Amino acid sequence: MKHLAALFLLFIFLTVESSAQLNYGPSFGMVATTIRGDSDFSPTIRYFGGGAVSLNIFRYRAALQADVLVIGTGAVREDQGAITSYQLRTTHLALPLQIKFRIRQRWHTGFGYQYSAMLQANETYRVNGNSRDIDASANFAAGDAGPFVDLGFQALFGAGFHIRYYYGSRRINTTGDVELNNSYLQAGVFYMFGRKPERFGFRRPRLNDVPQ
């Protein structure tokens, strides 16, 4: 997969010299995240933020996009005896790479693959009424990866929103017999600077547009 990322970035570099349009800007929002593999885990809400670079090709009909994001992940667990309010919080530095296909320059669907490095992992809970905050980094893998699908809208002036579903395909726990995987639904807003498309690039002439 490292070779795939290198080829993706190389393709962006080689295509910049063409008539493509390069956009870039911030992206941030919320993440509804959970952990697959253990039915005791339930979703929790975290946040993400970072930036994106999008290389728009074929007159804005498609794009190659790379993000750099800090993403909060994890899950919560129901009370188990004396242990209550359990929450696992992990934070990843993520590099999502995707191909977008646009409809009328604005709506898009995208497919891609994401790599990430874990920055931290903490378990917080209460036991017999006393709070605990434990560094759990040793119990989790240093990285994660998996495919995702993206749906969104971008106005021609640059502002937009998107929804992305990530399905982690690598085991994230280093202990225990049960394999755990990340999954989350990411919803956010963004703004893209840089050259924008022609406003009527997709419009076809209509009969009433023909001069009389």
Side-chain angles (χ1 to χ4, degrees):
M1 292 302 177
K2 293 181 180 180
H3 298 294
L4 178 61
L7 289 173
F8 188 95
L9 296 176
L10 178 61
F11 185 76
I12 288 180
F13 175 78
L14 293 176
T15 313
V16 167
E17 297 302 323
S18 69
S19 60
Q21 296 142 329
L22 188 65
N23 295 160
Y24 52 89
S27 177
F28 57 92
M30 303 178 67
V31 179
T33 175
T34 191
I35 294 176
R36 307 192 323 273
D38 187 338
S39 59
D40 289 337
F41 281 119
S42 298
T44 188
I45 300 298
R46 300 292 308 278
Y47 301 92
F48 78 92
V53 176
S54 181
L55 181 68
N56 306 290
I57 55 179
F58 306 129
R59 297 184 63 187
Y60 232 74
R61 289 177 174 85
L64 304 175
Q65 181 168 311
D67 301 10
V68 178
L69 304 173
V70 176
I71 301 177
T73 54
V76 298
R77 183 183 290 158
E78 293 184 1
D79 296 347
Q80 297 179 338
I83 299 177
T84 61
S85 303
Y86 176 90
Q87 186 171 51
L88 171 65
R89 289 173 172 259
T90 55
T91 304
H92 286 79
L93 178 63
L95 176 65
L97 305 173
Q98 70 168 309
I99 300 175
K100 286 181 173 181
F101 301 96
R102 288 197 175 93
I103 300 175
R104 299 189 66 83
Q105 299 176 321
R106 297 170 177 84
W107 294 97
H108 75 260
T109 181
F111 306 91
Y113 202 86
Q114 175 175 297
Y115 306 86
S116 65
M118 189 184 70
L119 300 178
Q120 64 178 18
N122 288 84
E123 292 176 312
T124 60
Y125 56 91
R126 298 179 65 85
V127 55
N128 295 322
N130 299 314
S131 299
R132 296 285 188 271
D133 189 338
I134 300 174
D135 183 356
S137 300
N139 298 328
F140 292 90
D144 189 21
F148 66 89
V149 60
D150 191 283
L151 300 171
F153 173 88
Q154 179 183 331
L156 293 184
F157 66 88
F161 63 87
H162 77 103
I163 298 175
R164 180 178 299 174
Y165 178 69
Y166 171 75
Y167 189 86
S169 58
R170 290 188 183 177
R171 177 174 178 147
I172 61 171
N173 56 315
T174 58
T175 61
D177 297 329
V178 177
E179 178 176 331
L180 302 179
N181 303 92
N182 278 323
S183 290
Y184 52 79
L185 184 65
Q186 173 181 323
V189 295
F190 59 86
Y191 189 92
M192 287 295 188
F193 298 94
R195 182 183 172 191
K196 301 303 191 300
E198 296 294 331
R199 182 170 296 275
F200 299 109
F202 280 110
R203 186 179 176 185
R204 294 181 179 178
R206 296 179 301 178
L207 291 178
N208 57 4
D209 289 335
V210 178
Q212 299 297 323

